[in-house]
Amino acid sequence: MREEQGAIYTGRCSGCGIQLQSEHKDKPGYIPAQAMEKEIVICQRCFRIKNYNESSSITVEQDEFLRLLSQVGNKEALVIHIVDIFDFQGSIISGLQRFIGNNPVLLAVNKIDLLPKVTNWNKVRNWVQKEAKEAGLKVEDIILCSAKQSSGFDRLLDAITASRGKRDVYVVGATNVGKSTLINRLIRDYSDLDQELTVSRYPGTTLDMVHIPLDDGHSIIDTPGIMYPSRYSEIVSPEDLGALLPDKPLKPAVYQLNEGQTLFFGSFGRFDFIQGERQSFTCFVSGRAPIHRTKLEKADELFAEHGGELLSPPHRDSLDKLPDWTRHEFRIPKGRRMDVFISGLGWIKINSEAGSVVAAHAPKGIKVLVRPSLI
Ligand SMILES: Nc1nc2c(ncn2[C@@H]2O[C@H](COP(=O)(O)OP(=O)(O)OP(=O)(O)O)[C@@H](O)[C@H]2O)c(=O)[nH]1
Ligand SMILES: [Mg+2]
């Protein structure tokens, strides 16, 4: 390590953590030799993401991530596991404890700004607690937060102070849940550092561990996100990601359906009401995935003829690159409030007084499940 103009020079990109090099333009970590002289050095890829909002095809291998994560088990650390409230079951790391040993875990549930304004937060907290337990996670505390709006940060800092002792803090999670955005907030609002981690709407932005020094000689460490191909956001093309991921609070869309009716969400997925009394279904999906209602008996034909066209996004070219759909059927018991959840696309809330049978269709491999209603 050499000290340069007051900044610590580590040979790594301060935006994504990758080892820097000036030889191969098309390889990770490239930076023109003259740019190495700057005080805070970022690689060309981070420069392009930051300035041109570019997506990048360079990603971390899954095995590499698991290797990085399992290092945490050999250290004295506080782990902050960040999940995305919009894709809770898709972004929770159910086997986390296996990697991180006995280190304490705080569960930070991020992007709560995406839930409707009138949300009962106590109910959400209880729901998170139950679901985390179900996923086999043992957590010290649960913090609902929004890195985008800086909400929940006082509680988060209190929880960090209470659990950290003299430990490093590792921020871990699936890709795109907001790990780097959250750390940037902490840096900006609670320190004098100039460093800014690279963030983007595309999964796989952070490429290696990035250490950010704390006052007591310890660090807060950003890590690359774990990639789950069971999340829609990991398999769509970069052009379609914007339509899939909400950027404003979800506006629930309520549909009164008779049995034998179907809803299409662009060509991202489909929901069938197969059997039951007329009832309402509330869709929590991004406003840019348009909902189209049709008859169940006509749905296959409609999709075959108009998928990727009338029913879009995704458009034809991108749709052809996605796996074929799998159908998942669910029986919703009488009197239960359940969500049919499609990882990365959102969920449909069912308030079934008389019981019902429904089905969801999504590309093969995407996680689709039924869960107690979040809201
Ligand atoms: N609505 C909302 N969006 C957020 C929030 N936090 C982060 N984002 C967005 O989520 C996307 C991903 O953010 P990053 O900070 O790059 O996520 P990451 O977890 O570091 O992702 P990887 O480095 O790919 O693992 C960006 O488009 C952020 O603007 C939040 O609290 N609310
Ligand atoms: Mg990141």
Side-chain angles (χ1 to χ4, degrees):
M1 241 185 235
R2 75 185 142 95
E3 188 104 17
E4 204 171 72
Q5 294 162 3
I8 302 290
Y9 180 81
T10 59
R12 290 186 173 269
C13 169
S14 66
C16 72
I18 195 81
Q19 185 73 49
L20 295 167
Q21 51 91 13
S22 304
E23 274 106 62
H24 307 286
K25 259 194 168 159
D26 49 350
K27 294 230 167 96
Y30 177 75
I31 173 173
Q34 66 273 24
M36 289 261 196
E37 303 301 315
K38 294 216 180 113
E39 201 171 312
I40 290 179
V41 191
I42 59 169
C43 69
Q44 194 161 67
R45 169 179 171 276
C46 282
F47 182 84
R48 300 183 85 97
I49 295 175
K50 281 183 178 168
N51 292 288
Y52 313 124
N53 221 342
E54 259 181 26
S55 69
S56 152
S57 52
I58 296 170
T59 53
V60 180
E61 291 294 321
Q62 181 78 351
D63 291 355
E64 175 64 7
F65 178 87
L66 297 177
R67 195 185 61 75
L68 286 174
L69 191 60
S70 54
Q71 289 174 10
V72 183
N74 308 325
K75 301 200 169 116
E76 283 263 305
L78 169 65
V79 174
I80 304 184
H81 175 14
I82 305 196
V83 293
D84 177 346
I85 192 65
F86 181 64
D87 189 14
F88 189 87
Q89 277 79 11
S91 62
I92 196 154
I93 308 175
S94 52
L96 184 67
Q97 238 84 31
R98 250 187 305 136
F99 298 107
I100 58 156
N102 289 324
N103 285 315
V105 180
L106 299 176
L107 185 63
V109 183
N110 192 30
K111 308 200 186 181
I112 60 163
D113 56 286
L114 293 178
L115 294 188
K117 293 253 151 54
V118 282
T119 295
N120 178 342
W121 298 110
N122 274 336
K123 195 180 156 205
V124 172
R125 263 184 70 84
N126 291 337
W127 182 94
V128 168
Q129 200 155 22
K130 277 207 189 106
E131 293 295 312
K133 205 168 158 199
E134 197 118 297
L137 271 192
K138 232 175 58 209
V139 300
E140 301 284 303
D141 205 349
I142 292 169
I143 299 104
L144 305 181
C145 60
S146 162
K148 193 169 176 181
Q149 299 184 333
S150 260
S151 60
F153 273 53
D154 289 342
R155 275 224 53 213
L156 179 64
L157 282 168
D158 287 349
I160 294 175
T161 311
S163 309
R164 184 165 85 89
K166 292 261 171 267
R167 294 183 167 99
D168 287 333
V169 183
Y170 284 81
V171 178
V172 306
T175 55
N176 230 23
V177 295
K179 298 178 292 301
S180 304
T181 309
L182 183 133
I183 299 175
N184 276 343
R185 277 287 180 188
L186 291 175
I187 297 176
R188 199 161 352 142
D189 297 351
Y190 301 93
S191 84
D192 305 324
L193 296 170
D194 282 334
Q195 186 164 357
E196 191 184 357
L197 300 165
T198 306
V199 306
S200 82
R201 72 143 78 124
Y202 309 106
T205 304
T206 305
L207 294 177
D208 205 332
M209 304 258 188
V210 188
H211 290 249
I212 292 123
L214 296 169
D215 289 343
D216 61 356
H218 287 269
S219 305
I220 181 160
I221 296 132
D222 192 13
T223 66
I226 189 166
M227 269 180 276
Y228 289 118
S230 53
R231 309 172 73 201
Y232 221 136
S233 44
E234 287 280 3
I235 68 159
V236 291
S237 65
E239 307 85 84
D240 292 319
L241 205 57
L244 196 63
L245 300 177
D247 63 349
K248 322 194 254 286
L250 293 164
K251 281 215 184 91
V254 185
Y255 284 82
Q256 298 288 337
L257 299 185
N258 296 317
E259 68 175 25
Q261 287 192 303
T262 284
L263 300 175
F264 277 95
F265 305 98
S267 274
F268 286 121
R270 163 181 156 189
F271 175 80
D272 302 335
F273 179 23
I274 298 166
Q275 197 190 321
E277 287 170 12
R278 181 180 168 81
Q279 57 190 278
S280 71
F281 296 89
T282 311
C283 306
F284 295 82
V285 297
S286 161
R288 286 165 297 166
I291 304 178
H292 185 95
R293 183 201 315 226
T294 187
K295 284 189 178 148
L296 174 56
E297 60 190 30
K298 296 233 169 97
D300 286 341
E301 195 186 319
L302 183 77
F303 186 62
E305 276 178 26
H306 298 293
E309 284 156 23
L310 170 75
L311 302 172
S312 68
H315 293 280
R316 188 85 255 167
D317 288 357
S318 318
L319 186 60
D320 288 343
K321 290 188 196 122
L322 292 172
D324 287 340
W325 286 1
T326 303
R327 178 177 180 279
H328 308 255
E329 186 172 304
F330 303 104
R331 188 171 291 274
I332 311 294
K334 219 162 119 176
R336 295 290 296 280
R337 290 182 186 181
M338 309 292 277
D339 295 337
V340 169
F341 166 87
I342 303 175
S343 178
L345 175 61
W347 64 93
I348 300 111
K349 179 180 171 182
I350 304 167
N351 191 350
S352 196
E353 273 165 29
S356 53
V357 180
V358 300
H361 304 241
K364 183 163 190 262
I366 296 299
K367 192 182 261 188
V368 177
L369 51 84
V370 63
R371 66 184 193 189
S373 285
L374 165 62
I375 322 185

Tab-separated table of all heavy atoms in Angstrom, residues 9 31 87 101 115 152 203 260 273 330 356:
chain	number	residue	atom	x	y	z
A	9	TYR	N	-3.620	4.379	-1.281
A	9	TYR	CA	-3.627	3.743	-2.589
A	9	TYR	C	-3.522	2.233	-2.408
A	9	TYR	O	-2.555	1.724	-1.859
A	9	TYR	CB	-2.453	4.253	-3.424
A	9	TYR	CG	-2.413	3.622	-4.779
A	9	TYR	CD1	-3.235	4.102	-5.793
A	9	TYR	CD2	-1.592	2.535	-5.037
A	9	TYR	CE1	-3.217	3.517	-7.033
A	9	TYR	CE2	-1.578	1.940	-6.275
A	9	TYR	CZ	-2.388	2.434	-7.271
A	9	TYR	OH	-2.392	1.848	-8.509
A	31	ILE	N	-7.786	0.818	-16.342
A	31	ILE	CA	-7.742	2.261	-16.140
A	31	ILE	C	-6.529	2.769	-16.913
A	31	ILE	O	-5.460	2.161	-16.853
A	31	ILE	CB	-7.663	2.585	-14.625
A	31	ILE	CG1	-7.452	4.071	-14.405
A	31	ILE	CG2	-6.630	1.767	-13.908
A	31	ILE	CD1	-7.532	4.482	-12.956
A	87	ASP	N	-38.623	-7.720	-3.400
A	87	ASP	CA	-38.307	-9.087	-3.838
A	87	ASP	C	-37.800	-9.877	-2.639
A	87	ASP	O	-36.714	-10.448	-2.668
A	87	ASP	CB	-37.249	-9.035	-4.962
A	87	ASP	CG	-37.046	-10.393	-5.618
A	87	ASP	OD1	-37.878	-11.297	-5.402
A	87	ASP	OD2	-36.047	-10.536	-6.348
A	101	GLY	N	-20.771	-18.302	10.002
A	101	GLY	CA	-20.496	-18.852	11.323
A	101	GLY	C	-21.374	-18.239	12.389
A	101	GLY	O	-22.568	-18.003	12.163
A	115	LEU	N	-43.047	0.633	-0.953
A	115	LEU	CA	-44.370	0.203	-0.494
A	115	LEU	C	-45.308	1.410	-0.496
A	115	LEU	O	-44.867	2.553	-0.382
A	115	LEU	CB	-44.275	-0.408	0.902
A	115	LEU	CG	-43.479	-1.716	0.996
A	115	LEU	CD1	-43.616	-2.331	2.389
A	115	LEU	CD2	-43.926	-2.740	-0.047
A	152	GLY	N	-34.867	5.257	8.291
A	152	GLY	CA	-34.511	4.090	9.091
A	152	GLY	C	-33.053	4.074	9.515
A	152	GLY	O	-32.600	3.147	10.177
A	203	PRO	N	-27.946	-5.434	-11.988
A	203	PRO	CA	-27.334	-6.299	-10.978
A	203	PRO	C	-25.877	-6.591	-11.309
A	203	PRO	O	-25.489	-6.601	-12.477
A	203	PRO	CB	-28.175	-7.584	-11.044
A	203	PRO	CG	-28.933	-7.541	-12.319
A	203	PRO	CD	-29.016	-6.112	-12.748
A	260	GLY	N	-62.242	-17.936	-14.439
A	260	GLY	CA	-62.058	-18.041	-15.885
A	260	GLY	C	-61.514	-16.760	-16.501
A	260	GLY	O	-61.619	-16.559	-17.699
A	273	PHE	N	-57.278	-16.773	-12.747
A	273	PHE	CA	-58.251	-17.098	-11.692
A	273	PHE	C	-59.049	-18.288	-12.221
A	273	PHE	O	-59.884	-18.146	-13.113
A	273	PHE	CB	-59.144	-15.879	-11.430
A	273	PHE	CG	-60.188	-16.107	-10.373
A	273	PHE	CD1	-60.038	-17.090	-9.395
A	273	PHE	CD2	-61.333	-15.311	-10.337
A	273	PHE	CE1	-61.000	-17.295	-8.417
A	273	PHE	CE2	-62.297	-15.502	-9.361
A	273	PHE	CZ	-62.136	-16.493	-8.404
A	330	PHE	N	-52.035	-22.839	-7.417
A	330	PHE	CA	-52.173	-22.737	-5.964
A	330	PHE	C	-53.637	-22.790	-5.553
A	330	PHE	O	-54.495	-22.178	-6.194
A	330	PHE	CB	-51.586	-21.408	-5.448
A	330	PHE	CG	-50.139	-21.210	-5.814
A	330	PHE	CD1	-49.773	-20.331	-6.832
A	330	PHE	CD2	-49.143	-21.910	-5.147
A	330	PHE	CE1	-48.439	-20.150	-7.177
A	330	PHE	CE2	-47.801	-21.728	-5.487
A	330	PHE	CZ	-47.447	-20.854	-6.499
A	356	SER	N	-60.170	-20.250	-3.252
A	356	SER	CA	-60.054	-20.136	-4.707
A	356	SER	C	-58.874	-20.966	-5.219
A	356	SER	O	-57.998	-21.368	-4.454
A	356	SER	CB	-59.887	-18.668	-5.115
A	356	SER	OG	-58.817	-18.096	-4.404
